[in-house]
Amino acid sequence: MALGPGLFGRHPDELTRAVDAVLASPDAIPLLGVAAARERAYAPACVLALEAAIAATVAVLASRVTAPAVTSAAVELAIAAKERSLGRRLIAGQTAAVTGIATSGLAVEIVLGVAGAGKTTALDVARAAFEDAGYSVLGTSTSGQAARTLGREAGIGESRTMASLLWRLEHGRLRLDRRTVVILDEAGMADDPSLLRLLAAVDTAGAKLVMVGDHRQLGAVGPGGALEALIARQPDAVHQLVENVRQLDPDERTALGEFRAGDVGRAIEFYRDRGRIRVVDTRADALEAMVDAWSADLEQVSDTAMLAWRRSNVAELNRLGRERWAALGRLWGPELAVDGRRYAAGDRIVTLAPGANGELVTSERGMVQAVDAARGTLVAVMEDGRLQRFAAEETAADRLAHGYAVTVHRSQGATVDRAHRFADGGGRELGYVGMSRARDTSHVWVVADDIDQAVEDLGRDWKAERRQRWAIDSGTPATSPRDVELDERAPIAMRAALTRGRLQAERAAVAAAVPADPAPDLGSIQFERQRLRQQRLDLECGQGSWALTPAGDAARTLRQTEGKSREAASFARMPDMGWLVRRAWRADAKDWGLRAREARIRFDEIVGPELDRLDVGIGRLDDRLDELRNDLERHRDWLTQHPEVAMRLAALDARLRLLDHDRSVQRGVDRAVGIDLDQPGPRPRLPDRGIDLGF
């Protein structure tokens, strides 16, 4: 993809030769066992080294128990103070997370919190407990708005973007020590090079790092995936906030939980049944209708948002939104024209880049109070209530935009009353973030011919996971002859990968003497059972593989007629309608009731046998799962009775673990990232160009 545009117009063989040259580099490490890969996959050695360095550093921090900690009594006091200010009790997950973070003494903690789980409230309590004990608490995040939220809502006065924090650390403007706690919010959005730099600073200073985020939400723009990898590697350091307290409707909270877990069909079914999926047949009409709905919301709620994935759609929504805003009489005074955009008093704005000597951060929202067209400046009231002056250079198109609509990426971490999302792609993670911002209701606008097509299109998009995963977790570097493994001229990362492959092969040979481990079969059976359950759900809804079949048609017809029957019956009972209108609705209810009974008969004839078949299959898999669980118990008993085999496997496992901590490998990784543990003094910062193995 990178080379192709540069070779446009040349013979295709030129591209083949160029790709072959790249893959022939020692830094191109071949991977085996990459799921869904149709060709050989490769990873740069620098990426493997970076991931290994992060994993190793976090392992060291997770074993250190001398980091900042407070007593249980201090935590209880902080919790009680917060509950008094809120006028309610914290949920159990928040209490457990705060207690674990504050009292463990571990140098690294991970808080895994679903959207709307009250992470900021928990962090505020933890901050208070640490500060009351005399510790210094710093906040940081990749997103400027998230960093600002840490300061405004979690009370962390010293909160900066990750780039700003690292720059200050590396230039001596800020120092960490053994009495410092660093809270990294939206950790899933942190790119791996920046995270390693922060980890190195925390490790050197003996400080404590609390990583907060959700790998099921939006990830890093650059190389990332560390949060999910570290959760899997350090489960004892993970605190989970799984109870969503943002959405007012408990059913919507359940739907979002299913969305996050991958049960997209159930989530879509909820949105469809509640009328949250709005279908319009053209893009232009959909955007117009979405803005109309947003405009109507302004009379009922204080904060309503319009979200989209693509910038072109956000730009069009902003244009239409500003027109509605002006029609409502909310703009006044002279206008400032900048790069095709016009700003007046009353305009909603959002920052696209930091500025004003650190006073402005990315994705910060505000409202214009006054403009000076002659000087090209404006003054706005920002979200936290402060007055902010924008110089002429800070109103450029790459620095400032209208804030009637924003990208879903800019909305992560935000909470509004209502939200309208234009369905223009982005995958599951983006869909989950977009549909979890609102307390009241979230609506998704889909360009489709009808609701069934809209449901199908949403299912296709929202089932596509796009989150990054570490290369070392995606495949195993290919093994080669032993002499390459021992050749000091080979890249250290490659040699380590080859050694690991050899030890894994030896382990496989020893494990062959052990009765088969049913765990893999257990997983596949569970997966198959889940597939059949999903197929059954699709059949009941008439979607998925059943969409174009007679059974699917019968299921959809039944759902439609029963829905219409309930709707008509509901309207017929409304007391504020005239008796003639109610009589008409009663007639409609009777008519739809007859249609529903006919549809039920057809459903039972066509769909019933298929449902019975799926139920039988699911029952058989349930029985098979019971057998495999018994086999797993016998497998463990055998290992207990043959300790010599278990000891050999444990020794090989230990060698595999120690490989990551081997001194020669670690020195190679440290030199690669600009760190030399053999030299005294603080570790220098990592080079901006990334990791160079120097081979």
Side-chain angles (χ1 to χ4, degrees):
M1 290 172 65
L3 292 170
L7 298 174
F8 182 77
R10 296 180 143 191
H11 194 280
D13 287 348
E14 294 289 331
L15 179 60
T16 301
R17 284 198 291 272
V19 171
D20 289 344
V22 171
L23 299 183
S25 167
D27 284 339
I29 307 296
L31 302 178
L32 295 177
V34 179
R38 296 183 227 176
E39 299 180 346
R40 170 64 57 81
Y42 294 82
C46 62
V47 170
L48 299 177
L50 178 66
E51 294 170 352
I54 291 174
T57 304
V58 171
V60 170
L61 293 174
S63 66
R64 183 186 299 162
V65 293
T66 57
V70 303
T71 64
S72 298
V75 174
E76 291 173 1
L77 288 174
I79 291 174
K82 186 63 176 180
E83 289 178 340
R84 284 195 300 271
S85 68
L86 292 174
R88 60 173 175 81
R89 297 183 64 84
L90 298 183
I91 61 176
Q94 290 173 323
T95 300
V98 170
T99 303
I101 291 169
T103 63
S104 71
L106 291 178
V108 67
E109 310 264 7
I110 302 173
V111 178
L112 172 60
V114 303
K119 297 186 288 290
T120 304
T121 299
L123 293 179
D124 186 22
V125 180
R127 184 270 312 160
F130 280 119
E131 288 185 344
D132 289 346
Y135 294 107
S136 174
V137 181
L138 305 179
T140 187
S141 177
T142 299
S143 161
Q145 182 61 19
R148 184 78 75 183
T149 300
L150 282 177
R152 185 175 63 247
E153 299 181 14
I156 304 175
E158 186 75 19
S159 294
R160 304 179 179 277
T161 63
M162 204 167 177
S164 174
L165 177 65
L166 291 172
W167 186 91
R168 291 173 181 273
L169 289 173
E170 292 161 358
H171 288 80
R173 306 290 180 87
L174 183 68
R175 297 181 67 87
L176 307 180
D177 57 32
R178 295 182 179 276
R179 299 191 64 79
T180 304
V181 179
V182 180
I183 295 179
L184 171 60
D185 196 15
E186 302 294 354
M189 298 182 74
D191 62 273
D192 287 351
S194 298
L195 179 59
L196 181 56
R197 291 161 64 189
L198 180 60
L199 287 167
V202 170
D203 185 18
T204 302
K208 180 185 183 77
L209 176 64
V210 180
M211 302 172 59
V212 186
D214 181 8
H215 59 279
R216 297 285 184 175
Q217 297 187 48
L218 297 173
V221 175
L227 182 61
E228 182 175 7
L230 296 175
I231 288 172
R233 285 167 169 77
Q234 304 295 339
D236 293 338
V238 178
H239 309 276
Q240 297 194 46
L241 293 174
V242 297
E243 185 177 347
N244 179 1
V245 295
R246 176 181 292 156
Q247 277 67 42
L248 301 177
D249 184 351
D251 291 338
E252 184 165 6
R253 295 198 292 266
T254 299
L256 283 169
E258 293 166 342
F259 196 151
R260 183 183 181 277
D263 195 351
V264 175
R266 284 187 179 274
I268 294 177
E269 181 180 357
F270 166 83
Y271 294 124
R272 174 176 180 161
D273 292 345
R274 296 297 178 91
R276 307 284 183 80
I277 301 176
R278 309 290 189 89
V279 183
V280 186
D281 56 2
T282 69
R283 171 183 175 272
D285 290 343
L287 296 177
E288 286 272 5
M290 180 171 163
V291 173
D292 287 340
W294 166 82
S295 179
D297 285 345
L298 296 174
E299 300 178 2
Q300 304 175 31
V301 296
S302 60
D303 195 4
T304 179
M306 292 190 291
L307 310 172
W309 178 41
R310 301 183 185 278
R311 294 181 182 178
S312 58
N313 291 325
V314 171
E316 181 65 8
L317 287 169
N318 270 318
R319 184 186 69 80
L320 295 170
R322 189 174 190 268
E323 290 179 358
R324 300 292 193 284
W325 196 252
L328 293 171
R330 302 197 180 195
L331 299 180
W332 64 91
E335 289 191 329
L336 170 65
V338 183
D339 297 333
R341 295 180 182 141
R342 306 183 74 84
Y343 299 100
D347 259 320
R348 287 185 173 186
I349 57 172
V350 62
T351 58
L352 306 182
N357 296 319
E359 295 178 7
L360 288 171
V361 298
T362 306
S363 301
E364 194 171 1
R365 299 192 298 173
M367 181 174 289
V368 177
Q369 293 298 295
V371 301
D372 187 334
R375 291 185 174 89
T377 63
L378 60 84
V379 176
V381 176
M382 306 312 291
E383 206 169 15
D384 58 1
R386 76 184 193 280
L387 276 176
Q388 180 66 49
R389 180 181 180 275
F390 287 77
E393 62 273 13
E394 291 163 348
T395 62
D398 60 342
R399 307 287 295 277
L400 190 68
H402 290 123
Y404 304 99
V406 296
T407 62
V408 177
H409 281 80
R410 294 194 185 280
S411 75
Q412 179 156 321
T415 300
V416 298
D417 294 321
R418 290 184 187 169
H420 296 270
R421 159 80 202 284
F422 182 64
D424 53 353
R428 182 188 301 172
E429 291 77 21
L430 188 134
Y432 174 57
V433 171
M435 299 302 289
S436 61
R437 298 302 94 199
R439 302 181 188 91
D440 184 10
T441 58
S442 295
H443 303 263
V444 58
W445 297 77
V446 186
V447 177
D449 294 334
D450 51 44
I451 186 65
D452 293 330
Q453 182 188 341
V455 166
E456 183 178 349
D457 291 346
L458 284 177
R460 186 184 304 109
D461 178 36
W462 287 355
K463 288 178 182 178
E465 289 186 309
R466 300 193 176 191
R467 70 181 190 273
Q468 294 189 56
R469 290 181 172 85
W470 271 5
I472 56 178
D473 291 341
S474 300
T476 302
T479 56
S480 295
R482 182 71 184 277
D483 55 355
V484 176
E485 180 185 333
L486 301 176
D487 192 338
E488 294 184 356
R489 296 173 300 173
I492 293 176
M494 178 181 285
R495 290 162 56 197
L498 299 179
T499 302
R500 184 178 293 105
R502 178 173 56 82
L503 293 176
Q504 287 173 335
E506 184 178 350
R507 189 193 186 286
V510 175
V514 183
D517 184 356
D521 289 339
L522 194 64
S524 63
I525 294 297
Q526 288 173 331
F527 177 85
E528 178 63 16
R529 182 179 60 172
Q530 181 60 35
R531 188 187 69 81
L532 288 185
R533 286 179 171 177
Q534 182 62 50
Q535 196 173 26
R536 192 186 193 283
L537 176 63
D538 289 344
L539 176 56
E540 289 181 322
C541 300
Q543 62 187 20
S545 60
W546 302 97
L548 301 179
T549 65
D553 179 70
R556 290 193 302 274
T557 300
L558 177 62
R559 290 172 64 85
Q560 180 187 27
T561 53
E562 288 183 341
K564 292 290 187 180
S565 177
R566 288 192 298 268
E567 181 184 50
S570 176
F571 280 116
R573 291 192 297 269
M574 288 187 176
D576 55 344
M577 291 187 177
W579 68 272
L580 287 175
V581 176
R582 290 201 304 272
R583 186 172 68 178
W585 278 114
R586 283 196 297 270
D588 282 348
K590 181 178 180 181
D591 179 59
W592 281 112
L594 292 173
R595 296 187 191 185
R597 284 193 290 273
E598 294 173 356
R600 170 61 68 178
I601 294 173
R602 182 167 179 260
F603 177 91
D604 292 339
E605 291 176 350
I606 299 177
V607 181
E610 294 293 343
L611 289 175
D612 292 340
R613 178 183 63 81
L614 289 171
D615 287 337
V616 170
I618 293 171
R620 288 175 178 171
L621 292 177
D622 287 337
D623 294 340
R624 179 58 177 153
L625 283 174
D626 290 338
E627 294 176 3
L628 289 174
R629 292 188 181 104
N630 293 332
D631 291 343
L632 181 61
E633 194 64 32
R634 286 191 290 270
H635 169 77
R636 291 169 176 169
D637 290 342
W638 190 94
L639 289 177
T640 302
Q641 297 168 8
H642 297 81
E644 71 285 353
V645 176
M647 290 174 61
R648 180 66 185 282
L649 289 172
L652 287 168
D653 287 339
R655 290 183 64 189
L656 285 166
R657 287 194 298 270
L658 286 172
L659 186 62
D660 290 330
H661 301 283
D662 181 85
R663 190 62 182 171
S664 63
V665 174
Q666 190 61 55
R667 279 199 299 268
V669 174
D670 288 341
R671 285 194 296 270
V673 298
I675 300 171
D676 190 347
L677 293 178
D678 295 331
Q679 297 297 324
R683 302 179 181 181
R685 77 174 187 87
L686 310 184
D688 291 336
R689 60 185 168 79
I691 299 175
D692 183 0
L693 292 179
F695 181 75

